[in-house]
PDB file of all heavy atoms in Angstrom:
ATOM      1  N   LEU A   1     119.515  19.785 170.041  1.00 95.00           N
ATOM      2  CA  LEU A   1     118.132  19.298 170.067  1.00 95.00           C
ATOM      3  C   LEU A   1     117.648  18.927 168.671  1.00 95.00           C
ATOM      4  O   LEU A   1     117.012  17.881 168.468  1.00 95.00           O
ATOM      5  CB  LEU A   1     117.225  20.374 170.678  1.00 95.00           C
ATOM      6  CG  LEU A   1     117.366  20.584 172.189  1.00 95.00           C
ATOM      7  CD1 LEU A   1     116.729  21.912 172.604  1.00 95.00           C
ATOM      8  CD2 LEU A   1     116.748  19.437 172.963  1.00 95.00           C
ATOM      9  N   GLU A   2     117.952  19.767 167.692  1.00 95.00           N
ATOM     10  CA  GLU A   2     117.568  19.466 166.311  1.00 95.00           C
ATOM     11  C   GLU A   2     118.361  18.287 165.771  1.00 95.00           C
ATOM     12  O   GLU A   2     117.851  17.491 164.968  1.00 95.00           O
ATOM     13  CB  GLU A   2     117.770  20.693 165.425  1.00 95.00           C
ATOM     14  CG  GLU A   2     116.749  21.797 165.631  1.00 95.00           C
ATOM     15  CD  GLU A   2     115.341  21.426 165.181  1.00 95.00           C
ATOM     16  OE1 GLU A   2     115.178  20.355 164.546  1.00 95.00           O
ATOM     17  OE2 GLU A   2     114.407  22.193 165.469  1.00 95.00           O
ATOM     18  N   THR A   3     119.616  18.164 166.207  1.00 96.00           N
ATOM     19  CA  THR A   3     120.429  17.018 165.784  1.00 96.00           C
ATOM     20  C   THR A   3     119.788  15.718 166.266  1.00 96.00           C
ATOM     21  O   THR A   3     119.689  14.738 165.512  1.00 96.00           O
ATOM     22  CB  THR A   3     121.850  17.126 166.359  1.00 96.00           C
ATOM     23  OG1 THR A   3     122.471  18.315 165.871  1.00 96.00           O
ATOM     24  CG2 THR A   3     122.688  15.918 165.952  1.00 96.00           C
ATOM     25  N   ILE A   4     119.328  15.720 167.511  1.00 97.00           N
ATOM     26  CA  ILE A   4     118.668  14.530 168.052  1.00 97.00           C
ATOM     27  C   ILE A   4     117.401  14.225 167.258  1.00 97.00           C
ATOM     28  O   ILE A   4     117.129  13.087 166.888  1.00 97.00           O
ATOM     29  CB  ILE A   4     118.351  14.710 169.549  1.00 97.00           C
ATOM     30  CG1 ILE A   4     119.647  14.819 170.366  1.00 97.00           C
ATOM     31  CG2 ILE A   4     117.506  13.543 170.076  1.00 97.00           C
ATOM     32  CD1 ILE A   4     119.438  15.241 171.805  1.00 97.00           C
ATOM     33  N   ARG A   5     116.605  15.266 166.964  1.00 96.00           N
ATOM     34  CA  ARG A   5     115.333  15.046 166.248  1.00 96.00           C
ATOM     35  C   ARG A   5     115.571  14.563 164.813  1.00 96.00           C
ATOM     36  O   ARG A   5     114.691  13.903 164.235  1.00 96.00           O
ATOM     37  CB  ARG A   5     114.485  16.313 166.250  1.00 96.00           C
ATOM     38  CG  ARG A   5     113.095  16.054 165.647  1.00 96.00           C
ATOM     39  CD  ARG A   5     112.042  17.018 166.060  1.00 96.00           C
ATOM     40  NE  ARG A   5     112.258  18.359 165.574  1.00 96.00           N
ATOM     41  CZ  ARG A   5     111.345  19.337 165.704  1.00 96.00           C
ATOM     42  NH1 ARG A   5     110.189  19.097 166.319  1.00 96.00           N
ATOM     43  NH2 ARG A   5     111.604  20.546 165.255  1.00 96.00           N
ATOM     44  N   SER A   6     116.712  14.864 164.251  1.00 96.00           N
ATOM     45  CA  SER A   6     116.990  14.370 162.896  1.00 96.00           C
ATOM     46  C   SER A   6     117.147  12.864 162.864  1.00 96.00           C
ATOM     47  O   SER A   6     117.090  12.244 161.788  1.00 96.00           O
ATOM     48  CB  SER A   6     118.248  15.057 162.344  1.00 96.00           C
ATOM     49  OG  SER A   6     119.411  14.609 163.026  1.00 96.00           O
ATOM     50  N   HIS A   7     117.333  12.242 164.043  1.00 96.00           N
ATOM     51  CA  HIS A   7     117.500  10.790 164.121  1.00 96.00           C
ATOM     52  C   HIS A   7     116.405  10.092 164.923  1.00 96.00           C
ATOM     53  O   HIS A   7     116.192   8.896 164.765  1.00 96.00           O
ATOM     54  CB  HIS A   7     118.857  10.439 164.731  1.00 96.00           C
ATOM     55  CG  HIS A   7     120.030  10.955 163.944  1.00 96.00           C
ATOM     56  ND1 HIS A   7     120.373  10.457 162.704  1.00 96.00           N
ATOM     57  CD2 HIS A   7     120.921  11.942 164.213  1.00 96.00           C
ATOM     58  CE1 HIS A   7     121.443  11.120 162.249  1.00 96.00           C
ATOM     59  NE2 HIS A   7     121.787  12.026 163.152  1.00 96.00           N
ATOM     60  N   ILE A   8     115.739  10.862 165.780  1.00 96.00           N
ATOM     61  CA  ILE A   8     114.663  10.295 166.603  1.00 96.00           C
ATOM     62  C   ILE A   8     113.399  11.128 166.349  1.00 96.00           C
ATOM     63  O   ILE A   8     113.339  12.300 166.714  1.00 96.00           O
ATOM     64  CB  ILE A   8     115.017  10.321 168.106  1.00 96.00           C
ATOM     65  CG1 ILE A   8     116.264   9.460 168.367  1.00 96.00           C
ATOM     66  CG2 ILE A   8     113.839   9.831 168.949  1.00 96.00           C
ATOM     67  CD1 ILE A   8     116.742   9.501 169.810  1.00 96.00           C
ATOM     68  N   GLU A   9     112.405  10.505 165.745  1.00 94.00           N
ATOM     69  CA  GLU A   9     111.164  11.232 165.437  1.00 94.00           C
ATOM     70  C   GLU A   9     110.424  11.581 166.726  1.00 94.00           C
ATOM     71  O   GLU A   9     110.248  10.729 167.603  1.00 94.00           O
ATOM     72  CB  GLU A   9     110.274  10.379 164.538  1.00 94.00           C
ATOM     73  CG  GLU A   9     109.059  11.121 164.017  1.00 94.00           C
ATOM     74  CD  GLU A   9     108.267  10.301 163.014  1.00 94.00           C
ATOM     75  OE1 GLU A   9     108.822   9.320 162.478  1.00 94.00           O
ATOM     76  OE2 GLU A   9     107.094  10.642 162.780  1.00 94.00           O
ATOM     77  N   SER A  10     109.990  12.824 166.821  1.00 95.00           N
ATOM     78  CA  SER A  10     109.325  13.282 168.046  1.00 95.00           C
ATOM     79  C   SER A  10     108.348  14.391 167.722  1.00 95.00           C
ATOM     80  O   SER A  10     108.500  15.120 166.724  1.00 95.00           O
ATOM     81  CB  SER A  10     110.373  13.785 169.049  1.00 95.00           C
ATOM     82  OG  SER A  10     109.779  14.077 170.302  1.00 95.00           O
ATOM     83  N   GLN A  11     107.314  14.538 168.577  1.00 95.00           N
ATOM     84  CA  GLN A  11     106.266  15.537 168.330  1.00 95.00           C
ATOM     85  C   GLN A  11     106.756  16.962 168.575  1.00 95.00           C
ATOM     86  O   GLN A  11     106.318  17.889 167.905  1.00 95.00           O
ATOM     87  CB  GLN A  11     105.053  15.246 169.221  1.00 95.00           C
ATOM     88  CG  GLN A  11     104.337  13.951 168.895  1.00 95.00           C
ATOM     89  CD  GLN A  11     103.190  13.676 169.846  1.00 95.00           C
ATOM     90  OE1 GLN A  11     102.716  14.558 170.563  1.00 95.00           O
ATOM     91  NE2 GLN A  11     102.739  12.419 169.878  1.00 95.00           N
ATOM     92  N   LYS A  12     107.633  17.153 169.540  1.00 95.00           N
ATOM     93  CA  LYS A  12     108.058  18.505 169.863  1.00 95.00           C
ATOM     94  C   LYS A  12     109.431  18.524 170.529  1.00 95.00           C
ATOM     95  O   LYS A  12     109.920  17.498 171.016  1.00 95.00           O
ATOM     96  CB  LYS A  12     107.043  19.204 170.778  1.00 95.00           C
ATOM     97  CG  LYS A  12     106.819  18.497 172.105  1.00 95.00           C
ATOM     98  CD  LYS A  12     105.741  19.218 172.915  1.00 95.00           C
ATOM     99  CE  LYS A  12     105.447  18.481 174.219  1.00 95.00           C
ATOM    100  NZ  LYS A  12     104.394  19.141 175.015  1.00 95.00           N
ATOM    101  N   ILE A  13     110.017  19.706 170.532  1.00 95.00           N
ATOM    102  CA  ILE A  13     111.298  19.961 171.185  1.00 95.00           C
ATOM    103  C   ILE A  13     111.077  20.973 172.294  1.00 95.00           C
ATOM    104  O   ILE A  13     110.383  21.974 172.102  1.00 95.00           O
ATOM    105  CB  ILE A  13     112.339  20.495 170.180  1.00 95.00           C
ATOM    106  CG1 ILE A  13     112.916  19.356 169.344  1.00 95.00           C
ATOM    107  CG2 ILE A  13     113.463  21.236 170.896  1.00 95.00           C
ATOM    108  CD1 ILE A  13     113.909  19.809 168.302  1.00 95.00           C
ATOM    109  N   ILE A  14     111.665  20.708 173.461  1.00 94.00           N
ATOM    110  CA  ILE A  14     111.563  21.647 174.577  1.00 94.00           C
ATOM    111  C   ILE A  14     112.980  21.990 175.041  1.00 94.00           C
ATOM    112  O   ILE A  14     113.686  21.137 175.599  1.00 94.00           O
ATOM    113  CB  ILE A  14     110.764  21.057 175.759  1.00 94.00           C
ATOM    114  CG1 ILE A  14     109.361  20.653 175.295  1.00 94.00           C
ATOM    115  CG2 ILE A  14     110.691  22.070 176.901  1.00 94.00           C
ATOM    116  CD1 ILE A  14     108.535  19.997 176.374  1.00 94.00           C
ATOM    117  N   PRO A  15     113.435  23.228 174.810  1.00 92.00           N
ATOM    118  CA  PRO A  15     114.793  23.602 175.241  1.00 92.00           C
ATOM    119  C   PRO A  15     114.857  23.856 176.742  1.00 92.00           C
ATOM    120  O   PRO A  15     113.819  23.997 177.409  1.00 92.00           O
ATOM    121  CB  PRO A  15     115.049  24.890 174.459  1.00 92.00           C
ATOM    122  CG  PRO A  15     113.680  25.492 174.303  1.00 92.00           C
ATOM    123  CD  PRO A  15     112.737  24.333 174.133  1.00 92.00           C
ATOM    124  N   ALA A  16     116.056  23.915 177.265  1.00 90.00           N
ATOM    125  CA  ALA A  16     116.232  24.344 178.642  1.00 90.00           C
ATOM    126  C   ALA A  16     115.861  25.817 178.741  1.00 90.00           C
ATOM    127  O   ALA A  16     115.816  26.529 177.728  1.00 90.00           O
ATOM    128  CB  ALA A  16     117.687  24.132 179.083  1.00 90.00           C
ATOM    129  N   ALA A  17     115.570  26.283 179.933  1.00 86.00           N
ATOM    130  CA  ALA A  17     115.141  27.667 180.088  1.00 86.00           C
ATOM    131  C   ALA A  17     115.748  28.277 181.338  1.00 86.00           C
ATOM    132  O   ALA A  17     116.126  27.571 182.283  1.00 86.00           O
ATOM    133  CB  ALA A  17     113.617  27.746 180.141  1.00 86.00           C
ATOM    134  N   LEU A  18     115.820  29.591 181.327  1.00 84.00           N
ATOM    135  CA  LEU A  18     116.365  30.356 182.450  1.00 84.00           C
ATOM    136  C   LEU A  18     115.377  31.446 182.822  1.00 84.00           C
ATOM    137  O   LEU A  18     114.847  32.130 181.947  1.00 84.00           O
ATOM    138  CB  LEU A  18     117.703  30.988 182.032  1.00 84.00           C
ATOM    139  CG  LEU A  18     118.397  31.923 183.030  1.00 84.00           C
ATOM    140  CD1 LEU A  18     118.936  31.125 184.205  1.00 84.00           C
ATOM    141  CD2 LEU A  18     119.526  32.671 182.338  1.00 84.00           C
ATOM    142  N   ARG A  19     115.106  31.597 184.102  1.00 84.00           N
ATOM    143  CA  ARG A  19     114.254  32.701 184.553  1.00 84.00           C
ATOM    144  C   ARG A  19     115.099  33.975 184.615  1.00 84.00           C
ATOM    145  O   ARG A  19     116.199  33.982 185.150  1.00 84.00           O
ATOM    146  CB  ARG A  19     113.665  32.404 185.936  1.00 84.00           C
ATOM    147  CG  ARG A  19     112.446  31.499 185.877  1.00 84.00           C
ATOM    148  CD  ARG A  19     111.975  31.093 187.258  1.00 84.00           C
ATOM    149  NE  ARG A  19     111.642  32.269 188.088  1.00 84.00           N
ATOM    150  CZ  ARG A  19     110.460  32.865 188.095  1.00 84.00           C
ATOM    151  NH1 ARG A  19     109.501  32.427 187.303  1.00 84.00           N
ATOM    152  NH2 ARG A  19     110.226  33.896 188.893  1.00 84.00           N
ATOM    153  N   LEU A  20     114.530  35.028 184.064  1.00 85.00           N
ATOM    154  CA  LEU A  20     115.243  36.303 183.982  1.00 85.00           C
ATOM    155  C   LEU A  20     114.389  37.385 184.643  1.00 85.00           C
ATOM    156  O   LEU A  20     113.187  37.472 184.399  1.00 85.00           O
ATOM    157  CB  LEU A  20     115.501  36.658 182.529  1.00 85.00           C
ATOM    158  CG  LEU A  20     116.616  37.664 182.235  1.00 85.00           C
ATOM    159  CD1 LEU A  20     117.958  37.107 182.702  1.00 85.00           C
ATOM    160  CD2 LEU A  20     116.667  37.953 180.749  1.00 85.00           C
ATOM    161  N   VAL A  21     115.027  38.180 185.481  1.00 84.00           N
ATOM    162  CA  VAL A  21     114.322  39.240 186.207  1.00 84.00           C
ATOM    163  C   VAL A  21     114.867  40.595 185.757  1.00 84.00           C
ATOM    164  O   VAL A  21     116.073  40.845 185.828  1.00 84.00           O
ATOM    165  CB  VAL A  21     114.514  39.082 187.736  1.00 84.00           C
ATOM    166  CG1 VAL A  21     113.750  40.174 188.482  1.00 84.00           C
ATOM    167  CG2 VAL A  21     114.061  37.711 188.204  1.00 84.00           C
ATOM    168  N   ASP A  22     113.978  41.458 185.273  1.00 83.00           N
ATOM    169  CA  ASP A  22     114.355  42.803 184.862  1.00 83.00           C
ATOM    170  C   ASP A  22     114.164  43.740 186.055  1.00 83.00           C
ATOM    171  O   ASP A  22     113.040  44.047 186.435  1.00 83.00           O
ATOM    172  CB  ASP A  22     113.491  43.244 183.684  1.00 83.00           C
ATOM    173  CG  ASP A  22     113.801  44.665 183.223  1.00 83.00           C
ATOM    174  OD1 ASP A  22     114.924  45.131 183.518  1.00 83.00           O
ATOM    175  OD2 ASP A  22     112.941  45.296 182.595  1.00 83.00           O
ATOM    176  N   ILE A  23     115.261  44.162 186.646  1.00 78.00           N
ATOM    177  CA  ILE A  23     115.212  44.997 187.850  1.00 78.00           C
ATOM    178  C   ILE A  23     115.362  46.454 187.442  1.00 78.00           C
ATOM    179  O   ILE A  23     116.279  46.808 186.696  1.00 78.00           O
ATOM    180  CB  ILE A  23     116.319  44.580 188.837  1.00 78.00           C
ATOM    181  CG1 ILE A  23     116.062  43.130 189.279  1.00 78.00           C
ATOM    182  CG2 ILE A  23     116.350  45.507 190.051  1.00 78.00           C
ATOM    183  CD1 ILE A  23     117.238  42.457 189.941  1.00 78.00           C
ATOM    184  N   ALA A  24     114.451  47.304 187.900  1.00 66.00           N
ATOM    185  CA  ALA A  24     114.417  48.705 187.464  1.00 66.00           C
ATOM    186  C   ALA A  24     115.761  49.390 187.692  1.00 66.00           C
ATOM    187  O   ALA A  24     116.536  49.026 188.575  1.00 66.00           O
ATOM    188  CB  ALA A  24     113.322  49.461 188.193  1.00 66.00           C
ATOM    189  N   GLY A  25     116.045  50.405 186.870  1.00 58.00           N
ATOM    190  CA  GLY A  25     117.337  51.078 186.867  1.00 58.00           C
ATOM    191  C   GLY A  25     117.802  51.550 188.244  1.00 58.00           C
ATOM    192  O   GLY A  25     117.062  52.224 188.967  1.00 58.00           O
ATOM    193  N   ILE A  26     119.015  51.186 188.577  1.00 61.00           N
ATOM    194  CA  ILE A  26     119.615  51.627 189.833  1.00 61.00           C
ATOM    195  C   ILE A  26     120.243  53.003 189.603  1.00 61.00           C
ATOM    196  O   ILE A  26     120.828  53.262 188.554  1.00 61.00           O
ATOM    197  CB  ILE A  26     120.690  50.617 190.295  1.00 61.00           C
ATOM    198  CG1 ILE A  26     120.037  49.261 190.599  1.00 61.00           C
ATOM    199  CG2 ILE A  26     121.429  51.126 191.523  1.00 61.00           C
ATOM    200  CD1 ILE A  26     121.048  48.162 190.881  1.00 61.00           C
ATOM    201  N   VAL A  27     120.154  53.877 190.580  1.00 58.00           N
ATOM    202  CA  VAL A  27     120.788  55.189 190.472  1.00 58.00           C
ATOM    203  C   VAL A  27     121.798  55.361 191.592  1.00 58.00           C
ATOM    204  O   VAL A  27     121.786  54.630 192.575  1.00 58.00           O
ATOM    205  CB  VAL A  27     119.738  56.333 190.553  1.00 58.00           C
ATOM    206  CG1 VAL A  27     118.755  56.231 189.403  1.00 58.00           C
ATOM    207  CG2 VAL A  27     118.996  56.299 191.892  1.00 58.00           C
ATOM    208  N   LYS A  28     122.700  56.308 191.397  1.00 64.00           N
ATOM    209  CA  LYS A  28     123.679  56.599 192.429  1.00 64.00           C
ATOM    210  C   LYS A  28     122.946  57.023 193.708  1.00 64.00           C
ATOM    211  O   LYS A  28     122.044  57.841 193.677  1.00 64.00           O
ATOM    212  CB  LYS A  28     124.618  57.719 191.977  1.00 64.00           C
ATOM    213  CG  LYS A  28     125.792  57.956 192.911  1.00 64.00           C
ATOM    214  CD  LYS A  28     126.784  58.936 192.296  1.00 64.00           C
ATOM    215  CE  LYS A  28     128.003  59.095 193.206  1.00 64.00           C
ATOM    216  NZ  LYS A  28     128.997  60.019 192.605  1.00 64.00           N
ATOM    217  N   GLY A  29     123.318  56.414 194.830  1.00 60.00           N
ATOM    218  CA  GLY A  29     122.657  56.701 196.092  1.00 60.00           C
ATOM    219  C   GLY A  29     121.544  55.716 196.432  1.00 60.00           C
ATOM    220  O   GLY A  29     120.842  55.870 197.427  1.00 60.00           O
ATOM    221  N   ALA A  30     121.392  54.656 195.602  1.00 51.00           N
ATOM    222  CA  ALA A  30     120.321  53.679 195.844  1.00 51.00           C
ATOM    223  C   ALA A  30     120.448  53.024 197.215  1.00 51.00           C
ATOM    224  O   ALA A  30     119.453  52.767 197.884  1.00 51.00           O
ATOM    225  CB  ALA A  30     120.333  52.609 194.749  1.00 51.00           C
ATOM    226  N   SER A  31     121.687  52.768 197.637  1.00 53.00           N
ATOM    227  CA  SER A  31     121.893  52.127 198.939  1.00 53.00           C
ATOM    228  C   SER A  31     121.451  53.012 200.099  1.00 53.00           C
ATOM    229  O   SER A  31     121.223  52.538 201.208  1.00 53.00           O
ATOM    230  CB  SER A  31     123.364  51.739 199.112  1.00 53.00           C
ATOM    231  OG  SER A  31     124.208  52.867 198.988  1.00 53.00           O
ATOM    232  N   GLN A  32     121.344  54.339 199.832  1.00 58.00           N
ATOM    233  CA  GLN A  32     120.851  55.263 200.844  1.00 58.00           C
ATOM    234  C   GLN A  32     119.397  55.653 200.574  1.00 58.00           C
ATOM    235  O   GLN A  32     118.873  56.591 201.173  1.00 58.00           O
ATOM    236  CB  GLN A  32     121.699  56.546 200.894  1.00 58.00           C
ATOM    237  CG  GLN A  32     122.986  56.388 201.705  1.00 58.00           C
ATOM    238  CD  GLN A  32     124.047  55.590 200.953  1.00 58.00           C
ATOM    239  OE1 GLN A  32     124.314  55.877 199.800  1.00 58.00           O
ATOM    240  NE2 GLN A  32     124.622  54.603 201.611  1.00 58.00           N
ATOM    241  N   GLY A  33     118.757  54.935 199.642  1.00 52.00           N
ATOM    242  CA  GLY A  33     117.333  55.177 199.410  1.00 52.00           C
ATOM    243  C   GLY A  33     117.019  56.057 198.224  1.00 52.00           C
ATOM    244  O   GLY A  33     115.858  56.385 197.996  1.00 52.00           O
ATOM    245  N   GLU A  34     118.041  56.478 197.443  1.00 49.00           N
ATOM    246  CA  GLU A  34     117.760  57.295 196.253  1.00 49.00           C
ATOM    247  C   GLU A  34     116.969  56.468 195.243  1.00 49.00           C
ATOM    248  O   GLU A  34     117.145  55.249 195.149  1.00 49.00           O
ATOM    249  CB  GLU A  34     119.057  57.789 195.615  1.00 49.00           C
ATOM    250  CG  GLU A  34     119.805  58.810 196.452  1.00 49.00           C
ATOM    251  CD  GLU A  34     119.031  60.119 196.609  1.00 49.00           C
ATOM    252  OE1 GLU A  34     118.346  60.509 195.628  1.00 49.00           O
ATOM    253  OE2 GLU A  34     119.095  60.716 197.689  1.00 49.00           O
ATOM    254  N   GLY A  35     116.160  57.135 194.439  1.00 45.00           N
ATOM    255  CA  GLY A  35     115.279  56.418 193.518  1.00 45.00           C
ATOM    256  C   GLY A  35     114.323  55.587 194.330  1.00 45.00           C
ATOM    257  O   GLY A  35     113.703  56.073 195.271  1.00 45.00           O
ATOM    258  N   LEU A  36     114.216  54.306 193.981  1.00 45.00           N
ATOM    259  CA  LEU A  36     113.414  53.403 194.804  1.00 45.00           C
ATOM    260  C   LEU A  36     114.312  52.554 195.679  1.00 45.00           C
ATOM    261  O   LEU A  36     113.860  51.622 196.335  1.00 45.00           O
ATOM    262  CB  LEU A  36     112.514  52.546 193.922  1.00 45.00           C
ATOM    263  CG  LEU A  36     111.357  53.349 193.304  1.00 45.00           C
ATOM    264  CD1 LEU A  36     110.637  52.504 192.255  1.00 45.00           C
ATOM    265  CD2 LEU A  36     110.373  53.815 194.353  1.00 45.00           C
ATOM    266  N   GLY A  37     115.614  52.861 195.656  1.00 46.00           N
ATOM    267  CA  GLY A  37     116.574  52.337 196.626  1.00 46.00           C
ATOM    268  C   GLY A  37     116.478  50.876 196.955  1.00 46.00           C
ATOM    269  O   GLY A  37     116.470  50.009 196.092  1.00 46.00           O
ATOM    270  N   ASN A  38     116.402  50.599 198.235  1.00 53.00           N
ATOM    271  CA  ASN A  38     116.487  49.224 198.718  1.00 53.00           C
ATOM    272  C   ASN A  38     115.315  48.356 198.276  1.00 53.00           C
ATOM    273  O   ASN A  38     115.385  47.132 198.360  1.00 53.00           O
ATOM    274  CB  ASN A  38     116.613  49.214 200.238  1.00 53.00           C
ATOM    275  CG  ASN A  38     117.956  49.745 200.693  1.00 53.00           C
ATOM    276  OD1 ASN A  38     118.969  49.496 200.036  1.00 53.00           O
ATOM    277  ND2 ASN A  38     117.983  50.467 201.793  1.00 53.00           N
ATOM    278  N   LYS A  39     114.241  48.986 197.831  1.00 56.00           N
ATOM    279  CA  LYS A  39     113.112  48.180 197.363  1.00 56.00           C
ATOM    280  C   LYS A  39     113.518  47.390 196.123  1.00 56.00           C
ATOM    281  O   LYS A  39     113.047  46.275 195.904  1.00 56.00           O
ATOM    282  CB  LYS A  39     111.909  49.077 197.065  1.00 56.00           C
ATOM    283  CG  LYS A  39     111.332  49.734 198.323  1.00 56.00           C
ATOM    284  CD  LYS A  39     110.248  50.719 197.994  1.00 56.00           C
ATOM    285  CE  LYS A  39     109.724  51.394 199.268  1.00 56.00           C
ATOM    286  NZ  LYS A  39     108.703  52.428 198.967  1.00 56.00           N
ATOM    287  N   PHE A  40     114.385  47.995 195.296  1.00 59.00           N
ATOM    288  CA  PHE A  40     114.865  47.271 194.131  1.00 59.00           C
ATOM    289  C   PHE A  40     116.118  46.451 194.459  1.00 59.00           C
ATOM    290  O   PHE A  40     116.340  45.399 193.891  1.00 59.00           O
ATOM    291  CB  PHE A  40     115.142  48.227 192.970  1.00 59.00           C
ATOM    292  CG  PHE A  40     113.877  48.673 192.294  1.00 59.00           C
ATOM    293  CD1 PHE A  40     113.557  50.011 192.226  1.00 59.00           C
ATOM    294  CD2 PHE A  40     113.011  47.755 191.751  1.00 59.00           C
ATOM    295  CE1 PHE A  40     112.386  50.431 191.607  1.00 59.00           C
ATOM    296  CE2 PHE A  40     111.829  48.161 191.127  1.00 59.00           C
ATOM    297  CZ  PHE A  40     111.523  49.500 191.056  1.00 59.00           C
ATOM    298  N   LEU A  41     116.914  46.937 195.378  1.00 68.00           N
ATOM    299  CA  LEU A  41     118.083  46.159 195.791  1.00 68.00           C
ATOM    300  C   LEU A  41     117.629  44.816 196.360  1.00 68.00           C
ATOM    301  O   LEU A  41     118.309  43.798 196.211  1.00 68.00           O
ATOM    302  CB  LEU A  41     118.905  46.929 196.822  1.00 68.00           C
ATOM    303  CG  LEU A  41     119.640  48.178 196.291  1.00 68.00           C
ATOM    304  CD1 LEU A  41     120.325  48.912 197.427  1.00 68.00           C
ATOM    305  CD2 LEU A  41     120.660  47.798 195.234  1.00 68.00           C
ATOM    306  N   SER A  42     116.473  44.792 197.013  1.00 71.00           N
ATOM    307  CA  SER A  42     115.980  43.538 197.583  1.00 71.00           C
ATOM    308  C   SER A  42     115.681  42.526 196.487  1.00 71.00           C
ATOM    309  O   SER A  42     115.852  41.322 196.706  1.00 71.00           O
ATOM    310  CB  SER A  42     114.722  43.797 198.412  1.00 71.00           C
ATOM    311  OG  SER A  42     113.646  44.206 197.595  1.00 71.00           O
TER     312      SER A  42
END
């Protein structure tokens, strides 16, 4: 992106982006409902 801007004048640069989801810690037994279980597995 910066390489392109070094040759083409532009007001701003917008990179590609990825949505990231932070899912609360899984514990042993989650599939049987331990911790918050399937609510986080979903």
Side-chain angles (χ1 to χ4, degrees):
L1 288 164
E2 287 292 351
T3 299
I4 295 170
R5 186 157 66 172
S6 69
H7 299 291
I8 298 176
E9 188 174 342
S10 187
Q11 294 177 17
K12 60 183 177 181
I13 281 178
I14 303 177
L18 175 71
R19 279 174 58 86
L20 201 62
V21 181
D22 178 22
I23 297 164
I26 296 172
V27 298
K28 188 172 184 178
S31 57
Q32 278 75 49
E34 292 294 325
L36 288 170
N38 290 323
K39 293 174 182 177
F40 283 121
L41 291 175
S42 67

